[in-house]
Amino acid sequence: MADTKQASAPLNGAYYGPSIPPQQSYHSHGRRSGCGCLFSCLLKIIVTIVVILGVAALVFWLVVRPNKIKVHLTDATLTQFNHTPNSDNNLLRYNLALNVTVRNPNKRIGIYYDSIEARAFYRGQRFASAPLGPFYQGHKNTSVLSASMQGQNVIVLRGGDLADFNRESAEGVYTVDVRFYLRIRFKFGKIKTGRIKPRIECEMRLRPNGGGLVPDRDNECEFERIWFR
């Protein structure tokens, strides 16, 4: 008997119909697009604010032209400066007074000196301090800061510091640092800034027993801005 089975023909793509493309997640792409747009907007806003602030600062500087405060050490006296390094108490007995002129060279800016404290140092160790009263300094004005410090305090001098003290005692000239710690505000018209905390640092060479300043270039003061508060 003849084999009546017929070989089945291979199925082609037409039998199954057209292929179905993979599904795409439009939700994910939309979220990425939204994030990118938001980041771009934020970046534009930040850049705009920075530009506006920069232009405002430039205009303010061109109008006001702020100048640095000028400080000059006018005179100082050291009527007592005795240290007892060989005793148990290491006492330094002192009597120091000085005057510093502070010049505001600005035409449109006034300065509020809300608090002032003078501190005296020898070889990096503070041995005295004195508060000064607050005041307002007007445009293109010069004011005098006067500090007087008298008393005794413990100062421990060892090694090189002790050797320097003995050398200066023999020479009759002592190197003393005085720093004025300030809290000030600037006034421009009706605008007042926040407080900043600068300091005035004066390095001086003094003769004891009221001899006063040794005339050399080391007797100078620097105005340094530290930080905003």
Side-chain angles (χ1 to χ4, degrees):
M1 179 182 294
D3 190 358
T4 57
K5 293 183 179 180
Q6 297 180 358
S8 58
L11 300 177
N12 54 24
Y15 181 84
Y16 290 102
S19 60
I20 300 175
Q23 294 184 352
Q24 297 182 357
S25 176
Y26 294 100
H27 177 73
S28 175
H29 287 284
R31 183 164 56 186
R32 292 178 183 176
S33 177
C35 292
C37 181
L38 178 61
F39 177 78
S40 177
C41 291
L42 288 175
L43 183 60
K44 290 179 181 178
I45 292 173
I46 293 173
V47 171
T48 302
I49 293 174
V50 170
V51 171
I52 292 174
L53 291 177
V55 172
L58 178 61
V59 171
F60 177 81
W61 184 84
L62 291 174
V63 173
V64 178
R65 293 293 179 94
N67 295 306
K68 186 178 180 180
I69 297 174
K70 299 178 180 179
V71 184
H72 179 66
L73 177 63
T74 55
D75 61 86
T77 56
L78 186 66
T79 55
Q80 185 181 21
F81 203 71
N82 302 322
H83 187 247
T84 53
N86 296 323
S87 66
D88 295 333
N89 48 26
N90 287 286
L91 282 179
L92 174 69
R93 293 177 175 85
Y94 57 88
N95 190 346
L96 172 66
L98 72 153
N99 295 316
V100 173
T101 59
V102 181
R103 173 71 177 171
N104 176 15
N106 296 285
K107 296 180 179 179
R108 300 179 177 87
I109 299 177
I111 305 173
Y112 288 96
Y113 294 82
D114 293 331
S115 69
I116 308 172
E117 182 184 16
R119 301 177 187 176
F121 296 81
Y122 182 75
R123 298 299 164 186
Q125 299 187 56
R126 186 174 72 176
F127 64 86
S129 63
L132 283 70
F135 66 95
Y136 172 76
Q137 187 178 42
H139 314 146
K140 298 186 74 65
N141 185 270
T142 300
S143 304
V144 178
L145 301 181
S146 298
S148 179
M149 292 167 275
Q150 181 179 6
Q152 61 184 26
N153 206 344
V154 176
I155 296 292
V156 180
L157 300 176
R158 295 189 178 93
D161 291 338
L162 181 57
D164 288 339
F165 177 82
N166 293 332
R167 175 181 53 80
E168 291 184 340
S169 297
E171 295 174 353
V173 177
Y174 295 98
T175 302
V176 178
D177 297 330
V178 174
R179 301 170 190 168
F180 293 89
Y181 291 83
L182 316 174
R183 290 187 180 184
I184 65 176
R185 292 172 294 153
F186 295 106
K187 180 177 181 291
F188 174 66
K190 295 183 178 180
I191 301 174
K192 298 177 182 178
T193 67
R195 285 190 181 94
I196 65 171
K197 297 165 63 175
R199 75 182 180 197
I200 298 171
E201 184 164 354
C202 303
E203 180 181 345
M204 49 195 171
R205 287 164 49 81
L206 294 162
R207 294 188 180 96
N209 303 319
L213 288 168
V214 176
D216 60 26
R217 59 184 180 183
D218 290 333
N219 300 319
E220 56 185 25
C221 297
E222 283 292 329
F223 181 89
E224 301 176 352
R225 194 179 73 180
I226 307 301
W227 60 75
F228 281 89
R229 185 190 176 193

